[in-house]
Amino acid sequence: MHRSSSVSTMTTLKDGDMNTFGPELPAMFDGIRLAAVATVLYIIVRCLNLKSTTASPEIIYQDTLLSRYLFKTCPMLTKEYIPPLLWGKSGHLQTALYGKMGRINTPKPCGVRKFLPMQDGATASFDLFEARGDHSTGDDITMVICPGIGNHSEKNYIRTFVDYSQRQGYRCAVLNHLGALPDMELTSPRMFTYGCTWEYAAMVGYIKRAFPETLLVVVGFSLGGNIVCKFLGENQSNQDRVLCCVTVCQGYSALRAQETFLQWDQCRRLYNFVLAGNMKKLILSHRSSLLGLSSSNIGDADLGRLYAATSLMQIDDSIMRKFHGYSSLKEYYEKESCVHYIHKVTVPLLLVNSSDDPLVHQSLLDIPRTLAEKMPNVVFALTQHGGHLGFFEGAVLFPQPLTWMDKVIVEYTNAICHWEKNLPACQRSGNRDSNSCLQSTGVTLSG
């Protein structure tokens, strides 16, 4: 009897509570929903970086006749870069779209694959694409292109750039990194590394022999930028017949970069893990060649460490450095980084990076900045957006087939080609002390 009375009382109280707070509950739930929506919108705005404003690239340079000429003839270096509104201000999304899609509406230029035997038994390969018309200068000009890590001529961003360059009158030669092509076996126990220039040098040598009148434009993307700058700086003769060099999104120093790749800032540790997984698959696809050839420096124990690797540094230490007999990871990174060679490059040099590149830490950008402040042939262009090799352009959602990167490389190259064409003969394709030559010959540029 007592228990029944208690239950009745509790029921009455609960009903009373519900009647008392009932009108306020819907408002409370609406407030929770509003807070949840606001939180989601805040996260979206932060992740997509929607509050960031668009801007023209920051340009570091010395005031020379050449730099003045470039700013007159290369408007893309000074005008605003506008990425797609809804996602283009996120370096992560730009990088992810480049990694997954490469480009949209990708053309398929037709080329011829060339194979070059190397002294150590390796077989280098590159694809050659002829120009689709005359260059605006009337000269024979070849772009010698070095792609990013583990990339080759069949990658979408390379195809897009090659097609655009062909239509502007450039012959294009694209290096296929050793071991990168899925249908080409290794003929020696060696793959491409961070800074080995042997295959690139072989391709450039072939182009010079096959086309004695051609002038060269050197282009490097990401890791390829390190390789081409190192190649040019290794020997002054490597700069013969080179008009200029352009690199995009390289890191300049592997030794400095390795420390930043272990940080979670900008999710670099996650990118490191993903890149390591891709490299692991690529190396293991050549397992039989790397282990089976008698001259191999790779053993079963090294492959065991490779299987357990979760970072590029672990892969470099267990496999990559041993291709060239480096005694330590530090020695490998030191000797294969272009930072020790780039100051010897005397041809016009355009270095392009993005501030929101999640793979290249801001501290690494001190290298090109200092270089451009000290060397009159160097221009450093730093965009606010673009990610790693993204640089998509567009209005709101859909990107254009051609990126800002594609267009600025060709625009800069065209300008240099015309600059070179108008130089006195004493200054063409080699000696680039253009100010003194123009003064000595009485040639001036207006403005």
Side-chain angles (χ1 to χ4, degrees), residues 190-191 193 196 198 297 320-326 336:
R190 178 174 68 83
M191 294 177 62
T193 59
C196 179
W198 296 353
N297 292 327
M320 308 304 283
R321 70 174 176 84
K322 297 180 180 179
F323 290 145
H324 295 283
Y326 292 111
E336 299 231 337

Side-chain angles (χ1 to χ4, degrees), residues 110-174:
C110 296
V112 177
R113 184 155 294 166
K114 302 288 185 180
F115 300 94
L116 304 173
M118 307 295 291
Q119 289 185 351
D120 67 343
T123 303
S125 74
F126 70 94
D127 285 20
L128 186 63
F129 305 87
E130 289 297 333
R132 294 187 186 176
D134 294 334
H135 190 266
S136 56
T137 61
D139 291 333
D140 183 306
I141 305 173
T142 303
M143 285 194 175
V144 279
I145 302 165
C146 192
I149 183 171
N151 290 176
H152 45 74
S153 63
E154 298 174 11
K155 292 294 182 179
N156 286 349
Y157 78 100
I158 294 294
R159 287 177 169 176
T160 299
F161 177 68
V162 165
D163 178 77
Y164 181 55
S165 300
Q166 283 180 291
R167 289 188 277 114
Q168 300 299 313
Y170 293 97
R171 178 189 298 109
C172 294
V174 183

Side-chain angles (χ1 to χ4, degrees), residues 164-208:
Y164 181 55
S165 300
Q166 283 180 291
R167 289 188 277 114
Q168 300 299 313
Y170 293 97
R171 178 189 298 109
C172 294
V174 183
L175 181 69
N176 300 310
H177 283 301
L178 197 62
L181 285 172
D183 57 350
M184 184 174 172
E185 292 292 329
L186 296 176
T187 57
S188 75
R190 178 174 68 83
M191 294 177 62
F192 75 93
T193 59
Y194 180 69
C196 179
T197 59
W198 296 353
E199 291 79 50
Y200 187 77
M203 179 179 75
V204 171
Y206 176 95
I207 295 297
K208 286 183 176 180

Side-chain angles (χ1 to χ4, degrees), residues 250-270:
Q250 68 154 310
Y252 306 97
S253 172
L255 190 61
R256 298 191 203 178
Q258 67 157 339
E259 300 170 359
T260 69
F261 259 109
L262 295 176
Q263 301 168 358
W264 281 104
D265 176 48
Q266 287 290 309
C267 299
R268 257 184 299 278
R269 186 66 182 86
L270 179 60

Side-chain angles (χ1 to χ4, degrees), residues 222-251:
S222 192
L223 172 140
N226 178 75
I227 289 176
V228 300
C229 286
K230 183 171 176 282
F231 165 76
L232 292 176
E234 283 177 333
N235 194 314
Q236 185 63 36
S237 64
N238 291 344
Q239 300 179 49
D240 292 347
R241 291 163 58 183
V242 172
L243 292 171
C244 63
C245 173
V246 183
T247 76
V248 184
C249 290
Q250 68 154 310

Side-chain angles (χ1 to χ4, degrees), residues 308-327:
T310 58
S311 71
L312 288 175
M313 284 68 74
Q314 291 171 334
I315 293 175
D316 289 340
D317 194 26
S318 61
I319 301 292
M320 308 304 283
R321 70 174 176 84
K322 297 180 180 179
F323 290 145
H324 295 283
Y326 292 111
S327 60

Side-chain angles (χ1 to χ4, degrees), residues 179 185 191 280-288:
E185 292 292 329
M191 294 177 62
K280 192 185 298 186
K281 291 177 183 177
L282 191 59
I283 294 170
L284 290 174
S285 70
H286 296 288
R287 175 176 177 171
S288 59

